[in-house]
Amino acid sequence: MAGRLIPGGAGRPRTPRALLALAVGLALLAGCQGAPAAAPTPTAAGTHRVTDGPYNETDVMFLQMMLPHHHQGIEIAGLARDRPVRQELKDLAAAIVVTQAAERETMTGWLTGWGQPLTGDPNGHAAHGGMPGTTEGEIAALARKSGVEFERGLLNMLIAHQDDAIQVARMETNAGADRRARELAARIDQSRTAQIQQMLALLG
């Protein structure tokens, strides 16, 4: 998806420069996590022992960033539920809602079990950027559309949204320590890549 501008809708361009900036920001962000609300006992530099193994700041950041991203993805995909769009898109959107709701529950459980807050400090991380997101205004504008214009806009918005998830998932697989979080990130990378290919086909 890098470098591709999805035509005719709300998709955002993905340039190598933008993705590099995101990667640098995420790397810096990993080093500025605040102290945990109820910190487990450290066992090695940058890791903390939990029931199933160690986790690090990248794991925490990945989960904290993905939780609001999943919430927004559910909101966007949910727009297709009562719209006269192609059945293939309606089915895909419904699957996105179910999958991301289950993933959100899992990620919430991990952060809670680690004694970590569900959201990071926006003031503490503002200097390093953050996960790109669709604004509420963009979602509201899409909801006012109808017909072919709505369908293309929804596809473009979901493509951009799922591409953002892939970039952060790859950060986790490259630098995370917790086995379960890294496995989840790998599944997110694989499933969102497949969804994007399906949506690109629908765009024609």
Side-chain angles (χ1 to χ4, degrees):
M1 287 301 300
R4 181 184 181 91
L5 177 59
I6 307 302
R12 297 186 298 281
R14 295 288 182 267
T15 65
R17 181 184 183 92
L19 293 181
L20 176 61
L22 173 61
V24 171
L26 293 174
L28 290 171
L29 187 57
C32 68
Q33 287 293 322
T41 303
T43 59
T47 65
H48 306 270
R49 180 62 58 182
V50 294
T51 302
D52 292 338
Y55 71 89
N56 64 11
E57 288 84 356
T58 299
D59 298 315
V60 174
M61 179 181 62
F62 164 65
L63 300 178
Q64 289 176 340
M65 294 177 75
M66 291 303 288
L67 279 175
H69 188 263
H70 274 45
H71 177 80
Q72 190 174 66
I74 292 169
E75 180 182 7
I76 296 169
L79 293 175
R81 183 175 53 247
D82 300 321
R83 301 291 186 118
V85 298
R86 281 174 285 179
Q87 190 61 45
E88 187 176 359
L89 176 54
K90 192 178 290 289
D91 292 344
L92 174 61
I96 289 173
V97 170
V98 172
T99 298
Q100 295 192 183
E103 290 173 350
R104 187 174 60 180
E105 183 176 350
T106 296
M107 293 187 290
T108 298
W110 290 344
L111 285 171
T112 301
W114 294 345
Q116 295 286 348
L118 300 183
T119 58
D121 179 4
N123 295 323
H125 303 321
H128 305 314
M131 188 168 195
T134 307
T135 68
E136 289 302 315
E138 289 172 326
I139 297 174
L142 174 61
R144 290 192 294 269
K145 296 179 180 179
S146 60
V148 174
E149 186 180 14
F150 169 79
E151 185 169 304
R152 291 187 64 84
L154 177 64
L155 284 166
N156 277 294
M157 187 174 288
L158 282 173
I159 287 169
H161 190 82
Q162 300 301 60
D163 183 63
D164 292 337
I166 290 170
Q167 307 311 318
V168 178
R170 291 176 180 174
M171 171 208 68
E172 167 63 19
T173 56
N174 287 332
D178 183 77
R179 172 184 55 80
R180 298 168 304 170
R182 292 180 65 186
E183 289 174 351
L184 173 62
R187 291 196 300 272
I188 287 174
D189 187 348
Q190 182 178 25
S191 66
R192 275 46 166 190
T193 298
Q195 289 170 3
I196 287 172
Q197 293 305 312
Q198 183 179 354
M199 288 186 286
L200 286 172
L202 287 171
L203 277 174

